[in-house]
Amino acid sequence: MMLALTLPRMVLFTYRPEDHASIHLLLELVSISVSVMVVTVTWISKNKQPKWQPQILIFGFTLIAGLDLLHALTFKGMPSLINNSNSDESIFFWLAGRVATLAVIIILGLKIKIRGSKIISFFSALIVLAIAFYIGTFHLNYFPALFLPGKGVTQFKINAEYGIFVANMLASIWLFLLWNKSKNEKNLWLASACVMTGLSELAFTNYITSSDFINVFGHAYKAIAYLIIFRAIAYSSIQEPYEILEKTNATIKRKEQEFKNLLDSLPVDVVQINPDYSIRYCNSRFSSHIGKQTDLLQGKLWSEINTPGWSGNKLLSFDAPFRGHRSTFEFTDNDREPPQYYSAIAIPELDIESGKNGVLAIFVNTTEQEMIRRQLGETKKENMDLKSALDAHAIVATTDAKGVITSINKKFCQISKYSPEELIGKTHRVINSGYHPKSFFNDLWKTISSGKVWTGEICNRAKDGSIYWVVTTIVPFFSATSLGKSAKPDRYLAIRADITEQKRAQQEAQKMAFYDVLTGLPNRRFMVERLDIAIANTSRNQNFCSLMLLDIDHFKYVNDTYGHDQGDELLRQVAARLNGCAHKTDTIARMGGDEFVVIFADLGTDRANALVRSNDLAEKIRETLAEPYHLKDITVFSSSSIGCVMFHDESLSGDETLKRADIALYSAKSLGRNRVQYFDTSMQTEIMEYSQIVLDLRTARSKNELILFYQPIVDLNQEITGYEALIRWNHSKKGLISPAAFIPVAEKSGLIISIGEWVIREACRKLSVWANEPEKKNLTISVNVSAYQLNEADFVSKAISNIEQFLVRPTHLKIEITESMLQRDIHTTISKLNELKKLGVRFSLDDFGTGYSSLSYLKKLPLDFLKIDRSFVRDIMIDQEDAAIAETILLLAQTLGMKVIAEGVETLDQYHFLKTRGCDYFQGYLFGKPAPLDD
């Protein structure tokens, strides 16, 4: 069904449209027939304890059959029924039928009991059906439209189908859970029917004409669902009487079989022989020995059983029992392999009808006892074979009660490199590696001397000095004369298997768990354990320790520029240099990435001296890591930033110590990198304040705390031509916060990207509102863009999306960039600006003159405006240098064909000075302060 829903629309019956109604009627007849059969079988059933309540089945499936029949008869293309056939009427009866089907299945699952006769249930269904027919035929206009010719099903119809689909899926899950709990097979069938019905509903959510393939496909699913309902209800009702009959017959047969089983369960062969030597009865054990079925043996003459070992055995004679004398005898059946040995007893048995003696013979198979006797003779040989096999696959040695070796096999000599002469007469001390403590062997001897088996792993040393591991099982043995509660073993058998390679693999796995694969240094997990030990030791001996957290400055640049192979080689060389700066008692670990930890665990008990030593070691590490790195075919110059924290007791946990070192490292990087920085509480305060700002800033937008102020930009006639949008943060507790306080934090935390996107979107929204106001429709809005935002890959697409969403004229949107954005990847920046420039967006270079822009790049940028920074405008009337700079910027803009906007104009003198020298636009307190603007 999922595959069918993904197929393109296919219209069937295009050449013979009249066939569609016929096919549809045939498919509907399946469900109608099933419903009629359910009602019929239920009506004629005489079962006093039916598994389904007949009133529900008769009412429900009479109604379902009627609704499906009305659906089929009102289907488009069928002859008229009161009204001309139409899709809305047909769909109405369809939905009513599906709801009725689902309701009946749920009521059956709930086992709700309804009183009343079958005839009342039947006519009640007809009444409900008549009401449904009346509503669907004459008052369908009370319901929303279900089908629109040429457009297909309506949204109401789609929602109804999805609702029935979901209800069927939930019902199937519920019925499946009922089946899982009670193992009632019928619940599983009903659950399957719900699944198929639900899937069929999906087909009716997406068709345009009733002849669409998906519509016909859905009707096929519905037909399958009704066949499953037939299997669950009608079929089981038909089958039930036959099952009762079968159970009755089975009970009779079971009674007969019980008596037969009684004889068959006897561990002997039982035969009844008539006076004419024919077999009257034999149990299954006898027939299995003869090799024929019991019913084939009954009536056969004893001489005809074709088993000479029995019928032709001269020792097996029934003459005495036939004469009324009991007899016993033994014989061997040599016709079987292996031969079977029997002991028999024959008892006379009077035949009442003939008055002659028959024979009841009982045969006991004694082969097992005979085999035991013979197997005793083979035990010694098997023990020898077992020893040979053990010698071939294991390392074996035997010792006396004192542990002196009395015998060994070749594998013992092979692994230990000793000859038998060097081992026999010695104890296992000759191969002792010294790995295990004395207590290990004391426990071993205590176990085996008490008569218990010992199993464990032992590390031994071979004659050539090599170490090998064996898993050993030592079994104590007792002599036949020393058995008893206080008996002691008189010898021991040691069975060993070589596990040296396995131990090496375990050691390698442990190394991988605690050591960094790339550098060979301990990893974070190992370092945390060593840090906890160091903290515990400092509390005990009062020594000062130093933890240094460092990372490689601009390591990402090396990875991005030269590749990860070169970056990995740099990390390996850093690890080697760190190892050269520390002692064996110190800990050097790689935390991950380019971050390393060094723990100097013993700096003495004097704080001042410890601090000096720690600083010397940190500077040594910094200077060592600052030396050139000779990688593969290249030389790289790098440095490190180091954060240090001192500790000498358990007042700080390992996590808190690492956190403080991380704060110090952050401070070192903030101060320019390539330096050592020690933790102090002020750093933590700064970090907490920074973190609080970031936290508050994350929720500022959702709380509507971010607002835009607008400062007017005027032309030569002091007429407002547009506004610059300036963001402000109206904190709920701190009040209005200056951008200088939160914009740097937003840039460091990455929040500037989402904030910048909001500013552009809000500016576009404002322009969209102004477009409908004649006095504002020509105004522009300038927005400032951060370098982080401009560097985003989707910056252009998001800007275009906002312009298109709010139907903004691109020329009314100005984007202001700063000279600092031109320091990195200028070509990508120019490409993005040109893409928006083609659309009509205009660009300003903000704070011009305060940065270090190249004039060659300046002429390549698609700029429309240069903005003279307020620092040059403020003293323009009293500072000749500021005046000269302003005049130069104005002349440069004229040369490059750009307009100039002067910021920070606060006096008329400044305004007239700039106006007379060719300035185009002005912005400052003289014309208006930044303030909110209503839409």
Side-chain angles (χ1 to χ4, degrees), residues 169-368:
M169 292 300 105
L170 293 175
S172 68
I173 294 172
W174 170 62
L175 289 167
F176 178 80
L177 293 176
L178 288 179
W179 168 81
N180 191 46
K181 182 178 180 181
S182 64
K183 299 304 179 184
N184 187 337
E185 185 186 46
K186 296 176 180 58
N187 286 329
L188 184 60
W189 284 107
L190 289 179
S192 303
C194 285
V195 171
M196 294 301 296
T197 303
L199 291 176
S200 73
E201 296 304 315
L202 293 178
F204 305 110
T205 61
N206 189 24
Y207 66 87
I208 295 177
T209 66
S210 59
S211 59
D212 283 2
F213 165 75
I214 193 65
N215 185 292
V216 179
F217 191 65
H219 278 81
Y221 258 73
K222 177 204 170 189
I224 295 172
Y226 270 80
L227 291 176
I228 295 174
I229 292 175
F230 173 77
R231 175 62 181 81
I233 300 174
Y235 179 77
S236 63
S237 299
I238 296 171
Q239 187 183 29
E240 187 175 358
Y242 294 98
E243 291 178 348
I244 294 173
L245 180 60
E246 288 178 1
K247 288 180 181 179
T248 303
N249 292 334
T251 301
I252 297 172
K253 291 181 179 179
R254 186 176 70 252
K255 294 296 182 179
E256 294 176 350
Q257 188 65 33
E258 285 176 357
F259 180 72
K260 182 181 177 182
N261 290 342
L262 179 62
L263 293 176
D264 288 342
S265 64
L266 295 174
V268 294
D269 297 53
V270 180
V271 182
Q272 286 179 305
I273 302 175
N274 293 317
D276 61 354
Y277 274 83
S278 64
I279 298 175
R280 190 195 323 165
Y281 168 81
C282 63
N283 65 356
S284 60
R285 186 179 180 89
F286 175 81
S287 62
S288 66
H289 287 160
I290 298 303
K292 294 184 179 179
Q293 296 182 4
T294 302
D295 55 351
L296 295 178
L297 289 173
Q298 292 176 357
K300 291 280 186 181
L301 293 176
W302 179 259
S303 59
E304 294 177 349
I305 62 176
N306 296 325
T307 305
W310 286 72
S311 63
N313 199 306
K314 294 181 180 180
L315 296 176
L316 210 166
S317 175
F318 301 121
D319 291 342
F322 278 129
R323 292 195 301 267
H325 302 291
R326 176 177 177 177
S327 66
T328 61
F329 48 88
E330 294 181 351
F331 69 96
T332 303
D333 182 1
N334 291 311
D335 290 336
R336 300 188 63 185
E337 185 60 36
Q340 299 295 301
Y341 301 88
Y342 290 92
S343 175
I345 180 172
I347 304 171
E349 187 179 41
L350 182 64
D351 185 359
I352 297 175
E353 294 181 0
S354 65
K356 298 181 180 179
N357 286 326
V359 176
L360 173 63
I362 301 173
F363 304 91
V364 180
N365 191 314
T366 59
T367 306
E368 184 176 354

Side-chain angles (χ1 to χ4, degrees), residues 74-76 83-91 140:
T74 57
F75 189 75
K76 186 175 182 180
N83 291 335
N84 292 330
S85 60
N86 64 84
S87 295
D88 268 358
E89 189 174 346
S90 177
I91 291 173
L140 198 60

Side-chain angles (χ1 to χ4, degrees), residues 26-42:
L26 289 175
L27 290 173
E28 287 299 331
L29 282 176
V30 174
S31 60
I32 296 170
S33 300
V34 168
S35 299
V36 171
M37 282 190 286
V38 170
V39 174
T40 303
V41 170
T42 304

Side-chain angles (χ1 to χ4, degrees), residues 1 61 149 194 234 435 509 643 715 893 904:
M1 178 59 72
F61 283 93
C194 285
Y435 177 86
D715 58 13

Side-chain angles (χ1 to χ4, degrees), residues 721-723 766-767 769-780 812 933-935:
T721 61
Y723 294 87
K766 180 75 73 175
L767 288 172
V769 173
W770 288 353
N772 299 319
E773 301 178 21
E775 67 277 8
K776 294 182 179 179
K777 66 179 182 179
N778 294 320
L779 295 178
T780 64
H812 287 184
L933 286 179
D934 295 332
D935 288 340

